[in-house]
Amino acid sequence: MWVILKTLFYLGLGSWVLGRGTRAMSAEEKTTIRGQVLEMFEHAYGSYMKYAYPADELMPLSCRGRVRGQEPNRGDIDDSLGKFSLTLIDTLDTLVVLNKLEEFEEAVRKTVSEVRLDNDVVVSVFETNIRVLGGLLGAHVMADLLRGRGERMQWYQDELLHMAKDLGHRLLPAFNTTSGLPYPRVNLRYGVLNPLSRTGTESDTCTACAGTMILEFAALSRLSGEAVFEEHARKALDVLWEKRQRGSDLVGTVINIHNGDWVRRDSGVGAGIDSYYEYLMKAYILLGDSVYLERFNTHYSAIMKYISQPPLLLSVHMHNPTVSVRGWMDSLLAFFPGLQVLRGDLKPAIETHEMLYQVTKQHKFLPEAFTTEFRVHWGQHPLRPEFAESTYFLYKATGDPYYLKVGQSIVEKLNTHARVPCGFAAVQDVRTGTHEDRMDSFFLAEMFKYLYLLFSEKSQLPFDIDDYIFTTEAHLLPMSLSITQPPCQGNGTEPRTALEEDLFTHSCPSAQTLFPNNPSFAKTIRDGYKYLNGVGRPQRVSSIRGIELPLHDNGMEPVEFLKSMGISLTQLNEAGGAQLDSSGPKGVYRVKLIAEVSQTTEEEEVLPLIVQVISPPFLGRIVLTAGPAKFGMDLTKQENGVKGSIVKSAPYSACGPIENPAELRGSIALALRGDCMFAAKARRLQGAGAIGVIFVDHKEGSSSEATPLFQMVGDGGPTSDITVPLVFLFSREAAALTTALEEHRHVEVLLLPKEKPPEKPIGMNIQIHLAKEGEVQARQGKGTTIQLLLQPGDEDDEEEEPEAGGNLPTGGHCVSTATEEQAPPPQPCADAQTPPPTPDPSPADPESDP
């Protein structure tokens, strides 16, 4: 059966070559870029082995290893570190893909002889599964392959598989819950419920955390012969399926592991949910069980109905999916076009990928979160590989050399903006280009694997890549596992007759079916999203001043092209629109336009707050810039702010029962960011009697000067019960408070808003209509209206000065008409090359002051 699956699967990924558009990349060019990728990998991996091993990760700015407990706590980010040489294990099968077989054999020897898995460390079940268990399994599969060829690894006796089985048993205690959903954390030595485990108090986990176990656990079961792992992973998937919202077929982001109630009901395809959908599809491909495909198809239909608004992928409320819950997207959703390729839905995959590519053009990398207008929401970029992953899959599916150019841009940006002497450093803020002292293991496990494969031919790889499926961490598992043993008993789902099936519901895509005799179809899809953010539009030089439309030689009418870019044009009468004079240079048209202007909702801005230390000996001299929250008391409406003594919460994260309520009562609590939601912390501290909360960033060295302020958000549910003021301090500012607490027994602060900046100009929306001459006055109505008339002029008059009446050198004029309360005097339109006359700088004229 796996042969049939493989054939179906990779027929859809057969390449086809574009006839027009991007120039094909020569074999020499691909070899050069592949060599670059190899050199970059050697720099990153070599730096880890030289400066960091046996630590879990490399700190590329400090040129040393990151060891849990020896560096400042970063909150839940550190839950991936288990003192088990994480980066080494995560990189093992990458060494084989990159044909570094000697290095692989040496690394396996080190892993077998030096890595311990019985450490007294609390780790993330999800991260340990995908990175360490997946890394061990992928490396075992590669070692077994090389051993079978009789050339290398002859000493290997399945040691990596034994380590994987040991680790699997250490993760199993996390599944000891009433529902079958796993705890989010486990102690590698003591499990979950042991008094020495320091975990087991959590009640919630994310959907992806519970639903991203089946590939690794099923592979472990089928390679080791112990069915218990696959059974537990399947049970968790069964629970998530049963708990989906039956009306929308969507799932939420966070779920209670004991009773199965949804804690956060926002639903998308990014952080918190992403790999749950991925593993349903890939479980079908790897294991051959159609139940997983049926579930995936049900969810996918819901995603395309409610979440996908090409090229955007929004988050909605699972119970009311027509309502968007936020105006931004996170970078983890960049994996989704790759998953759509596996599903056979290439058109939306191309659309979303192109949108993401435009964002990278604007910001160099994908910001950790960005708005629907493609502005930065969270500026970090921890060298995530999801965009490279989707680029690879789209190239495999289309053979379009455009995606090789996209991959080349990724390589160049990494070398230019992330490379440092001791490896590659994450970007702390894409707006400033500042670096962060981290190089996560997934950078070596995934990024270099996808980039190397993108520029490689199958014949250049040490094995047939089409025989394997990628896990979410890009570890390789053989599709032959589907015939190793029958699927788990009882794996079933109720029949769904209402689900509409399409051509690819039970098979993989065929390029000829998708694009019959039209290999340039992908380009026509991309072209509609080429200038989403205004970056990269070609500049045309013309002696004629007119409206330039970025048209292409594709026969598309100008109006239709504008519509494809999201600009709606309407005609003023049914007889026809304005005449488009195409006698000039290509792409330049003289038209007569009317633009209706209306006030828009002002862009939401972050109004900073301040924390002022007012107790002796400071007496107000310490003033710290703080960020606000979207819930809790509105300090801008408190005339005198909120005053109180500060007390550290115990525990400092405020994610468990509060241990010092007597001290907190009537005081302002200090709590560390991380481990749970801001709203959960605020509720606990408010319940303990705190009159306010100051949240402290867990990221060492962060400051309001280097990182833009943001507004803390709730947990997706109602937050009206939280009434105390909440502020956020970056770690550098917060250090002033913690130092003061260490030196003085009583520290009193005042929370109040910072002085408001001057108001921004009102934003405007412009709706453009094409009109014939004589119809201009007919459209005048209520509200502010700008009438723009472009008329043919004599090119010889270009350098003439404007006359008093406001006539332009181009022969056009601009008239603004408004209601009497708003009407300004007529003004000449400013020309891009000829400035208006300089007004007389009379001291008595206030408007002459620049």
Side-chain angles (χ1 to χ4, degrees), residues 45 53 84-85 88-90 92 104-117 135-136 139 155 159-160 163:
Y45 179 68
Y53 178 81
F84 36 35
S85 300
L88 177 67
I89 293 176
D90 217 1
L92 289 174
F104 171 72
E105 188 160 1
E106 180 184 354
V108 171
R109 289 185 185 275
K110 281 184 177 292
T111 301
V112 170
S113 61
E114 300 175 12
V115 173
R116 295 180 60 91
L117 299 173
L136 291 170
W155 58 269
E159 288 89 347
L160 294 175
M163 292 179 69

Side-chain angles (χ1 to χ4, degrees), residues 267-271 273-274 277 303 307 313-315 332-333 335-336:
S267 186
V269 296
I273 302 180
D274 48 1
Y277 294 132
I303 290 169
I307 293 172
L313 291 166
L314 303 179
S315 292
L332 285 172
L333 60 75
F335 90 99
F336 198 69

Side-chain angles (χ1 to χ4, degrees), residues 542 545 798-799 830-835:
S542 172
R545 296 181 187 173
E798 273 191 4
E799 301 302 324
D831 182 74
Q833 299 181 10
T834 308

Side-chain angles (χ1 to χ4, degrees), residues 589-601:
Y589 295 85
R590 296 190 182 98
V591 298
K592 187 179 298 180
L593 301 171
I594 297 176
E596 291 186 359
V597 182
S598 60
Q599 184 171 336
T600 65
T601 304

Side-chain angles (χ1 to χ4, degrees), residues 21 56 131 239 302 365 468 522 537 545 636 716 794:
D56 283 315
R131 299 200 203 188
V239 174
F365 299 103
Y468 299 85
R537 180 178 286 111
R545 296 181 187 173
T636 63
D794 191 341

Side-chain angles (χ1 to χ4, degrees), residues 214-235:
I214 188 64
L215 294 190
E216 293 82 2
F217 268 42
L220 180 57
S221 284
R222 300 190 181 202
L223 290 171
S224 69
E226 296 187 21
V228 62
F229 304 108
E230 183 172 354
E231 289 170 357
H232 278 87
R234 177 189 54 78
K235 171 63 175 174

